[in-house]
Structures are given as C-alpha cells and as structure tokens.
Amino acid sequence: MKDKQKKIRSSLSTQAFSEFYAEHDYIIKEGLIALLICAVGDLVAGVILGKMTFFLEAFPGLLVVIPGAIGMRGNIFGSFASRLSTNLHIGLISPRFEFSEDLNYNIYSSFVLTLVLSIFLGIVGKLFCVLLHYPSMPLIDFILICTIAGIISNLIMLPITMFVSFKSFEHGWDPDNITSPIIAAFGDLFTLPAIIASIFILSALNFNFIVKDIVLAVILIAVIVGFIYCYRLSYETKTILKQSTPILLLCSFLGGSAGGILNSSVETLLTNPSLLTLIPLFSGECGSLISILGARLSSGLHSGLVEPLSRPEGEALHNFGICYILAILIFPFIGILAELSSIMFGTVGVGFDKIIPISTFSGLILVTIMVILVYYISTLSYNNNLDPDNIVIPISTSITDSISSLILISISLLILGALI
C-alpha cells in the first residue's frame, strides 16, 4: 500500500511522458471522451448563439446575462454532480434511482439555488448595463427571462445529472472524469433554448403590465418561502445553502462581468459569427476541463490522495499534467469545429489559419492561470473546513468564464489585427 501511494505521489518531473501517460491513460481517455461529448453540446449552443442576432438586437442587454446563465447551470449542477460523485465514492448514496434523504436534500438545494441565482443574475445584468451605459431592457424583463429560463433548465438538468452520475458509476467509470463535462454540455445545450423559450413566454405576458408584475411577485414569494424551508429542512441542506449561496452570488456577478466584456465587443462578434459560435465552445470546454480538475482535486482531498500543501506536489501535479494534455488535444479541435460550422451554415468565418491559433493560444493561457487558482481554492476551502464540492467548481468555472471571455476576445483581436 505504501509503495502504491509513493508511486501515486511521486514527482511528475521524474517520469517520462510515456510512463506518465501509461499510468493515467484511463483518466485522459475518459476525460477526452467527456470533453468531446461536451464539445457537441457546446457547438449546438454556439450555432444557436450565432443565430440569435435578432434576439440580441430586439432585447438589448441580453448578451450580458447569457454567459452568467450558461455558467450558472454548470456551477449549480456541476456542484450537484460533484457531491453525488463524492457520496457515491464513499457509499452514502446508492447508484440506483432510489430516493433517499441525502439525494432529496441535494435535489431541493439545487432547485432553490437555481431560482435564487436566476433572480440575482437578472439584477446583475441590468446593473452592468446601467453602469456601463449599454442599451438595455427593463429590470423586470431581465429577472423574468433569467428566472423562467432557470425553471425550464432545472426541470431538465436535475434528472440528467442524476442519470449521468449513477450510470457512469455503475459502469465503472470515475464520475469525477465524466459527469462535470457532460453536465456542462447539457447545461450549455439547454440554456439558450430555455432563454429563447422564456423570451416567448415574456412576450405572451406583455399584453398587460399588471400580469407581469403579478408573475414576478409570485416568483419572488415562492423563492423566499422555498429558501427558508430548504434552509430549515436539514443540516445538509443548511450547509449546502450556507456555503453555496454566497459563492454562487459571486459567480453570478463574475458571469455578468463576462457578459459585459462580450457586450463591449458585440459589433465585432456580430460581424464575425464564427467567433460568436466559438464563445460557448471555448467557455464550455474551459469550464469542463477546469471542472474535471476541481472534481479530481476535491475527491483527492477527501480521500487523502491529494495533500492540502502550500505548494502542489505529487498527485496534484499529475492532475495538472492531465489537464494540459487534454487542453492540447481539445482546443485546436474546437477551433476547427467553430469554423466548420460557419462553412456549413454559410456564415462569415475568420479562416482556419486564424481560428485555430485563437482557440489554442487562448486555451493554453487560460489553463496555465486556472490550474494554480483551482489548486489553491481547493486547498484553502479544505483547510478552512469548507466542503470543496460546494466551493471549487462554482468559483473556478465562474472565474474561468470571466477570464475566458477576456482572453478569447483579446487574442482574437490581436490575431485579427482589430481593436475594440
């Protein structure tokens, strides 16, 4: 046992690449498969976003909340999946569709968090538009679009998250390598259609302002009552809400900032639809890749394979290496996907010679920043008696969303020779 543990924790620099790959090939293969599946969902989301120019023009400020809405699904259900993964690993939850107290508590908490964060995201979206002097729709429209879209997504994402977590565990796959990217892909896939559906519902309510006010009042009362009920329901739900709510509020703010960055370059994006298509692909793959790292570090801290040291060593460095290998494989691929989609749908592309380096360089820069941040977020939360499952994925993916937008836009403008 000691020899095995010593091998696991040995320094990455002492191993040849072939030996490193041989030791971790199953993790890389599982992660790559999950990221490729995620890329399909992100591509569909990117194509939808590329075709949403009418909605972006008809509902000014909508682009500000889109990154936050997409990120929120990944944050809430990525954390849900991470908690399920940890509970499956340590035997608290059975990998069958049998409702238990632990599973029910996680379901209630995730639903309430979605509603709370949706309202907050709508407020943040309007706030950014006002502060940055962007044209925008009324506050009530921001809140209703975000909340209705959140409810629609929630009804879809809860069963999908449980199904993916349970089935991956049943088939002998590590949920840490599988669930977060796949859940993020489904979140990306359903968020934009849910936003479009919520816009149509909002349009149906526009015949009378009193109806909109009543609907908003009912939603606010339901969210407040639901939050109080869930907070008092059990120690576990109280812990999840207490630890997750402030973190997710911060994440929504970061998501809004990402949307603000995109909105500042909206003219460039609207005239280069392939870049608009690349945004969900790039953001989704970055978030999924960092979620894999976060989930693995979280499980490693719980199980003792990763030590919460001031400098990363052993298994933590191995996880960094896995992250870089996956990044080198996936980022050129999504650049190719974005340009191919432009060709297939007859929209304006920037060319393979530009979009591949844009995607690749942006991805490697972001991964270099995020592996360090994720490690210290994980160890700091663990050392302060906070559950990394509730902390790491939401914070890291939200920071990723903000940084990814900034890096992608900056590298795109640099390579294209344009200025904001």
Side-chain angles (χ1 to χ4, degrees), residues 162-175:
M162 290 186 289
F163 179 83
V164 172
S165 298
F166 293 163
K167 288 301 178 181
S168 63
F169 190 82
E170 275 187 350
H171 286 82
W173 303 327
D174 188 346

Side-chain angles (χ1 to χ4, degrees), residues 20-271:
F20 176 82
Y21 182 82
E23 183 178 347
H24 300 285
D25 64 333
Y26 75 97
I27 301 172
I28 295 170
K29 288 176 182 176
E30 288 181 358
L32 184 59
I33 291 171
L35 288 170
L36 291 174
I37 295 172
C38 180
V40 174
D42 292 331
L43 177 62
V44 175
V47 171
I48 294 172
L49 183 59
K51 299 294 184 180
M52 280 183 66
T53 52
F54 167 76
F55 295 104
L56 296 177
E57 293 170 354
F59 293 86
L62 182 62
L63 186 59
V64 176
V65 298
I66 285 178
I70 293 175
M72 183 171 63
R73 308 295 175 258
N75 292 338
I76 293 174
F77 293 102
S79 294
F80 178 39
S82 184
R83 289 194 298 270
L84 289 181
S85 176
T86 298
N87 288 335
L88 286 166
H89 279 304
I90 62 181
L92 289 180
I93 292 178
S94 169
R96 298 184 180 89
F97 286 92
E98 298 174 352
F99 288 101
S100 61
E101 282 192 348
D102 287 317
L103 181 57
N104 290 340
Y105 293 156
N106 276 282
I107 292 172
Y108 298 153
S109 302
S110 298
F111 202 95
V112 169
L113 284 170
T114 298
L115 295 178
V116 172
L117 269 295
S118 296
I119 293 172
F120 184 75
L121 179 62
I123 296 171
V124 167
K126 179 63 176 180
L127 180 63
F128 268 101
C129 288
V130 172
L131 292 177
L132 299 175
H133 304 290
Y134 297 150
S136 65
M137 54 188 155
L139 175 61
I140 188 172
D141 290 354
F142 271 104
I143 294 176
L144 288 177
I145 287 174
C146 292
T147 306
I148 295 170
I151 293 170
I152 294 170
S153 298
N154 223 353
L155 295 174
I156 299 170
M157 291 302 299
L158 276 170
I160 288 177
T161 303
M162 290 186 289
F163 179 83
V164 172
S165 298
F166 293 163
K167 288 301 178 181
S168 63
F169 190 82
E170 275 187 350
H171 286 82
W173 303 327
D174 188 346
D176 287 334
N177 303 329
I178 300 292
T179 54
S180 292
I182 294 180
I183 296 310
F186 278 111
D188 296 348
L189 180 62
F190 290 116
T191 296
L192 292 178
I195 288 175
I196 294 173
S198 68
I199 288 173
F200 282 112
I201 293 172
L202 177 65
S203 299
L205 297 175
N206 272 334
F207 72 93
N208 192 315
F209 287 106
I210 297 177
V211 174
K212 286 172 61 175
D213 291 339
I214 292 172
V215 170
L216 178 61
V218 170
I219 289 174
L220 291 175
I221 292 171
V223 171
I224 293 170
V225 172
F227 187 90
I228 294 172
Y229 171 77
C230 193
Y231 191 84
R232 295 177 175 177
L233 183 61
S234 71
Y235 175 78
E236 183 172 350
T237 55
K238 180 179 180 179
T239 300
I240 293 172
L241 292 181
K242 191 175 181 180
Q243 294 185 5
S244 298
T245 301
I247 298 302
L248 290 171
L249 290 175
L250 173 62
C251 293
S252 291
F253 186 82
L254 292 173
S257 68
I261 292 169
L262 294 180
N263 204 75
S264 68
S265 304
V266 66
E267 292 183 4
T268 301
L269 294 172
L270 291 177
T271 54

